[in-house]
Amino acid sequence: MADTRATGRRIRRTTKTIRGTALAVALTGLLSPLSVGCSTVKELDYTPVRMDLEPARTKAKQVSSSLVEMTGVKGKVSEPGPSVTRCREYGDDLFSMSHPWSVYEITDEQVEAGLINLRKALNGNGWKITKDGKANSQAQDPEIYAENDAEQFALHVTGNKKSATGNAMILFKVVSKCFKAESAKSLDGEY
């Protein structure tokens, strides 16, 4: 009887060891094609366009300029230009452009009219509106999300009306898809 119990325990331990080893081998097989050295590289669902930093920066400025024209609003435009964001999770030589900016010193009526004009103009200029509604915030300001596959940029716009804590303005954030730089080294020190 003691032999039967001992044999049963050995069989259960051996079965657990075999299952554990099989699981480890299966997981290693699934993960190994994605692993490069110590890091994991994700795959994009598109092929990044080859573009150097300055042409990408210029393109981001052009996209932003065309958007302010679409609003038809005349006001002051905030300064800092587009910045570089590395797409390291997809490859060391990939980057995107990010350009947050705003149109300010405008009235609530200009905010409203600017968003109406923008909605009308986006579809006719290669943009596809993906969300149009109210921001998930206490103020519930109107916001628009849109994408332009031809230009390879996405957009988030919020229309802030004058409140006790701030003045009326239209806030833009323009972000590009990942571009492929000449080399990873050419992106060093860029922000």
Side-chain angles (χ1 to χ4, degrees):
M1 179 100 158
D3 270 348
T4 308
R5 279 191 222 147
T7 304
R9 280 184 285 217
R10 278 194 301 265
I11 290 172
R12 283 192 293 273
R13 276 195 305 256
T14 304
T15 304
K16 285 181 183 177
T17 303
I18 291 170
R19 285 184 188 150
T21 304
L23 181 61
V25 169
L27 286 174
T28 302
L30 288 172
L31 296 176
S32 63
L34 300 176
S35 297
V36 178
C38 294
S39 64
T40 302
V41 177
K42 297 178 183 177
E43 289 193 35
L44 292 167
D45 61 354
Y46 60 92
T47 302
V49 171
R50 166 75 178 87
M51 190 175 295
D52 291 325
L53 287 170
E54 285 314 306
R57 207 180 302 271
T58 299
K59 186 170 184 164
K61 289 177 185 177
Q62 290 169 341
V63 168
S64 293
S65 292
S66 71
L67 291 168
V68 77
E69 287 174 17
M70 287 182 212
T71 66
V73 172
K74 303 293 182 212
K76 289 192 175 181
V77 177
S78 61
E79 273 309 310
S83 62
V84 175
T85 303
R86 300 227 11 205
C87 303
R88 288 189 194 275
E89 66 271 27
Y90 301 106
D92 286 341
D93 60 346
L94 299 178
F95 71 97
S96 71
M97 299 306 299
S98 177
H99 191 198
W101 54 280
S102 62
V103 179
Y104 62 102
E105 290 193 6
I106 57 176
T107 65
D108 286 353
E109 291 77 21
Q110 287 175 298
V111 169
E112 218 169 287
L115 290 179
I116 290 169
N117 293 340
L118 187 62
R119 280 184 192 95
K120 290 177 186 175
L122 284 172
N123 288 330
N125 286 285
W127 291 87
K128 178 183 173 193
I129 295 175
T130 57
K131 181 183 176 194
D132 188 356
K134 300 207 181 269
N136 188 15
S137 66
Q138 187 173 0
Q140 292 195 335
D141 294 316
E143 69 178 353
I144 302 168
Y145 286 87
E147 297 174 354
N148 188 321
D149 288 335
E151 294 292 336
Q152 300 195 7
F153 277 85
L155 157 72
H156 177 214
V157 181
T158 307
N160 291 356
K161 294 193 176 176
K162 187 172 182 163
S163 68
T165 58
N167 292 320
M169 65 177 66
I170 302 174
L171 303 165
F172 290 82
K173 178 147 189 192
V174 177
V175 180
S176 75
K177 288 187 174 183
C178 293
F179 296 120
K180 186 172 183 66
E182 179 183 357
S183 68
K185 188 173 172 81
S186 68
L187 298 174
D188 289 348
E190 292 291 333
Y191 298 99

